[in-house]
Amino acid sequence: MKLSTVQKGALLTILGATCWGISGVLGEYLLNVSKINSMWVISTRMFYAGLILITLLFFKDKTDLFRVFKNKKDIIRLINFSFFGLLICQGTYFLAIKYTNAGMATVIQFTGPVMIMAFYCIVNKRAPLPREVIAITAALFGVVLMATHLDFSKLNISSVGLFWGILSAIGLASYNISSLHLTAKYGVMPIIAWGLLISTIAWGLLISGIVIYFGTGSYYVPQGFSYIDFLCISGIILIGTIASFSLYLEGVRLIGAVKGSIIGCLEPIAAIVFSFLLLGSTFGIFDILGAAFILLAVIVLSKR
């Protein structure tokens, strides 16, 4: 059976969110079990993911790889995508967790779809579609259920934590929106590669990966780094970064940023499933209800 463009886009977005869920579980092991510094994990993840992609694309078609740098406007778009999208979203999320907790950080970050919908409503001078409102409300409520279990006493939040959380949501909205023109014109893989990796003085660009990696002093092997830790960080790089962003942004290219970001709320469902399978974690009624609301959002969006 041949899939329609919308079905294909939704499937790719779901697969991308699933890969993020796997990455979250592997990251949880590194941070909570192996006690590896979170900045090292995020820096190593972005740097090596970009390096691997750049290397593969260079040998495949180096002309196509550098094509984005021939257009000045697209260079600016690439800088915006790299810094104000990927870098802000990924980096500030961990800072939000540091100053609040994982539940609150997740809830705040997943206000990103609301920002995306508001952006397109303002740009296109239209009111939100009823199904968009229903889907976003259901998805956000589902995320809140899964992240808090309705125990809001644990979500006392500082102004610093709120700041980083909102910035993370802005980053999520930004990379969804800013990726569309670039991926449609140059393809997903080159944009992801450059977005993750380097800055070069010759082109006057500052792109996220190398700045974080060397700027944070992350070019070392953590003390007590084990074979399992190596497998975890490899999984985060290959599955949770290269595969996840490539699949997700290709899906967003096909179905748009609003639908894609809402479907991306499936990430916590995938995280719970893989946390159960790989780490033996348990989940309860609030997790099941939250998952049901998120799935409802996906179903609502799939209807024309």
Side-chain angles (χ1 to χ4, degrees), residues 5-293:
T5 299
V6 173
Q7 290 172 328
K8 183 179 178 182
L11 178 60
L12 290 171
T13 308
I14 289 170
L15 290 174
T18 302
C19 289
W20 275 324
I22 296 173
S23 176
V25 174
L26 298 177
E28 181 181 349
Y29 180 88
L30 291 176
L31 297 175
N32 296 336
V33 178
S34 298
K35 304 298 183 182
I36 293 177
N37 182 272
S38 61
M39 188 60 73
W40 183 89
V41 173
I42 189 65
S43 304
T44 301
R45 166 195 184 187
M46 296 182 75
F47 179 77
Y48 283 105
L51 182 64
I52 290 169
L53 279 175
I54 289 290
T55 303
L56 292 175
L57 292 171
F58 180 83
F59 286 106
K60 180 182 177 182
D61 188 347
K62 62 181 179 182
T63 301
D64 191 56
L65 175 62
F66 294 99
R67 192 159 57 95
V68 65
F69 297 108
K70 295 180 180 179
N71 186 302
K72 292 182 179 180
K73 290 184 178 179
D74 288 340
I75 291 175
I76 295 174
R77 291 189 179 102
L78 182 59
I79 294 173
N80 176 65
F81 170 72
S82 303
F83 273 102
F84 299 105
L86 289 179
L87 178 56
I88 287 181
C89 181
Q90 297 301 306
T92 58
Y93 177 66
F94 281 86
L95 288 171
I97 291 175
K98 178 180 179 180
Y99 289 102
T100 58
N101 55 61
M104 194 67 216
T106 301
V107 171
I108 298 174
Q109 186 183 60
F110 277 100
T111 61
V114 180
M115 297 180 184
I116 294 171
M117 186 181 72
F119 172 82
Y120 281 111
C121 286
I122 293 171
V123 169
N124 298 322
K125 298 179 180 179
R126 68 169 177 86
L129 299 175
R131 61 192 176 91
E132 290 177 339
V133 175
I134 293 172
I136 284 180
T137 303
L140 288 176
F141 184 66
V143 171
V144 170
L145 276 177
M146 297 177 75
T148 69
H149 290 186
L150 296 183
D151 184 4
F152 295 99
S153 64
K154 297 179 180 179
L155 296 180
N156 295 326
I157 183 170
S158 67
S159 57
V160 176
L162 181 62
F163 171 78
W164 290 121
I166 292 175
L167 204 57
S168 176
I170 292 172
L172 185 149
S174 178
Y175 84 70
N176 273 275
I177 295 170
S178 61
S179 70
L180 289 173
H181 172 86
L182 293 169
T183 56
K185 187 173 181 179
Y186 301 103
V188 169
M189 300 299 280
I191 299 306
I192 286 294
W194 288 118
L196 288 169
L197 185 61
I198 19 185
S199 69
T200 57
I201 298 176
W203 291 321
L205 293 174
L206 289 174
I207 303 176
S208 59
I210 202 168
V211 174
I212 299 181
Y213 189 67
F214 291 106
T216 60
S218 297
Y219 42 91
Y220 65 91
V221 177
Q223 186 176 4
F225 194 72
S226 68
Y227 177 67
I228 295 178
D229 295 334
F230 173 77
L231 291 178
C232 286
I233 193 65
S234 297
I236 289 173
I237 292 169
L238 297 174
I239 299 174
T241 309
I242 294 176
S244 62
F245 277 109
S246 299
L247 291 166
Y248 177 79
L249 289 180
E250 178 63 16
V252 168
R253 186 183 70 82
L254 295 174
I255 63 176
V258 175
K259 288 184 178 180
S261 63
I262 295 174
I263 294 175
C265 292
L266 288 169
E267 178 188 346
I269 299 178
I272 283 181
V273 172
F274 286 105
S275 183
F276 170 75
L277 294 175
L278 300 177
L279 300 180
S281 302
T282 58
F283 56 93
I285 185 64
F286 286 111
D287 299 310
I288 295 172
L289 286 174
F293 274 100

